[in-house]
Amino acid sequence: MAKKLTIDASGIYYRQLNEQIREAVAGGATDIVLKNVNGQRYLAGALTGDLNFEIQGVPGQDMCSFMRGPKIRVKANAQDGVGNTMDDGTVIIEGLAGDVVGYAMRGGKIYIKGDVGYRVGIHMKAYMEKLPTIVIGGKAGDFLGEYMAGGIILLLGMFSDKPSEPIAGRSLGTGMHGGVIYVRGSVPKEQIGPGLTTQPLDESDMLVLKGIVKDYAKELGLDAKAILASDFVKIKPFSHRPYGNLYVPA
């Protein structure tokens, strides 16, 4: 049976708050609500197992770093570094997220309703049977998927605070050598990294996409059919060593 606990984070320094969280988990708590969060860092960092968190307020940097298993729901925005080297679990952000979301992420899912900052999904990689996935409901800054080595990024561009901006910033997929980026609609050619092009989706892509969108829409109370009503394109690496010739001529 789930053991529920509420912690009021108001005025608590991040180290003490994280100590309280670890003590609660060690004491058997499995469902934890964090109230009045205001920039405290490293929340849910390195936690493992079947745990559920609801975060009320804006968590600080590196939330869920090195996490393996828990499910985290943020009822507002999140700062930089969400899911840094995350190994497994699910993160749902009902607002915006900052830079470097999913850095070196190698498993689990990060679902963001709104826009994200720069370098989201950088060095993202698949590990063994794991397929890390980031879904961005809004738009993304520069260098989305930079040096991406595995996994899936889905960029929807639907729920954005920047209606006049392109769906992604400059150099999307720069240095990509694995994984795939799906984009709803289209991406201006000048926004894509060197040597990359957009391609239409095939049947296997659509099967994967529908599964991701269905789960994303369920978690955020959205209409999966409306999301899938548009065409999508995909961006894949042209080589597993995109800059190899810069160092050792082929």
Side-chain angles (χ1 to χ4, degrees):
M1 184 176 178
K3 181 179 177 181
K4 298 183 178 181
L5 180 69
T6 297
I7 298 174
D8 189 343
S10 181
I12 302 178
Y13 190 54
Y14 78 91
R15 288 182 180 174
Q16 281 69 47
L17 179 58
N18 281 299
E19 287 174 2
Q20 286 190 32
I21 292 169
R22 286 192 291 271
E23 289 171 1
V25 171
T30 56
D31 289 67
I32 298 174
V33 176
L34 300 178
K35 296 172 56 179
N36 300 312
V37 171
N38 186 20
Q40 287 97 336
R41 293 174 278 172
Y42 312 129
L43 299 182
L47 289 182
T48 65
D50 187 16
L51 306 172
N52 289 281
F53 285 80
E54 179 180 295
I55 297 178
Q56 299 174 6
V58 179
Q61 295 182 348
D62 287 312
M63 181 186 75
C64 303
S65 56
F66 309 104
M67 189 178 80
R68 183 178 295 174
K71 183 175 183 177
I72 314 293
R73 181 178 295 275
V74 179
K75 304 295 287 185
N77 302 329
Q79 294 184 19
D80 301 340
V82 173
N84 180 352
T85 323
M86 176 175 157
D87 191 62
D88 206 352
T90 302
V91 181
I92 302 142
I93 299 169
E94 296 184 359
L96 315 177
D99 301 337
V100 207
V101 172
Y103 174 83
M105 178 184 176
R106 64 180 192 169
K109 299 174 287 189
I110 300 177
Y111 294 159
I112 303 149
K113 185 174 183 182
D115 296 327
V116 296
Y118 302 119
R119 287 194 158 94
V120 169
I122 181 174
H123 291 300
M124 188 173 168
K125 54 183 69 74
Y127 176 69
M128 298 180 71
E129 77 286 354
K130 296 176 181 178
L131 189 67
T133 302
I134 299 175
V135 183
I136 302 157
K139 297 179 179 181
D142 298 343
F143 296 103
L144 176 67
E146 184 183 27
Y147 300 119
M148 186 175 171
I152 297 171
I153 296 176
L154 171 57
L155 178 62
L156 299 176
M158 296 179 72
F159 312 108
S160 176
D161 290 340
K162 304 170 184 174
S164 62
E165 296 293 320
I167 193 167
R170 298 172 298 143
S171 303
L172 190 155
T174 294
M176 223 182 140
H177 53 283
V180 60
I181 299 174
Y182 295 118
V183 181
R184 188 178 189 268
S186 61
V187 185
K189 186 176 180 180
E190 62 271 17
Q191 304 301 118
I192 301 175
L196 298 172
T197 59
T198 59
Q199 308 168 33
L201 274 59
D202 58 27
E203 289 185 9
S204 62
D205 290 314
M206 285 305 303
L207 188 63
V208 169
L209 186 69
K210 287 178 180 177
I212 293 171
V213 168
K214 183 179 179 180
D215 193 45
Y216 174 80
K218 179 181 177 182
E219 292 291 357
L220 285 164
L222 302 170
D223 185 347
K225 289 183 179 179
I227 294 172
L228 292 166
S230 180
D231 291 332
F232 288 78
V233 295
K234 66 180 176 183
I235 299 167
K236 298 192 73 173
F238 62 91
S239 167
H240 72 286
R241 296 180 69 245
Y243 298 138
N245 288 343
L246 293 178
Y247 306 104
V248 181

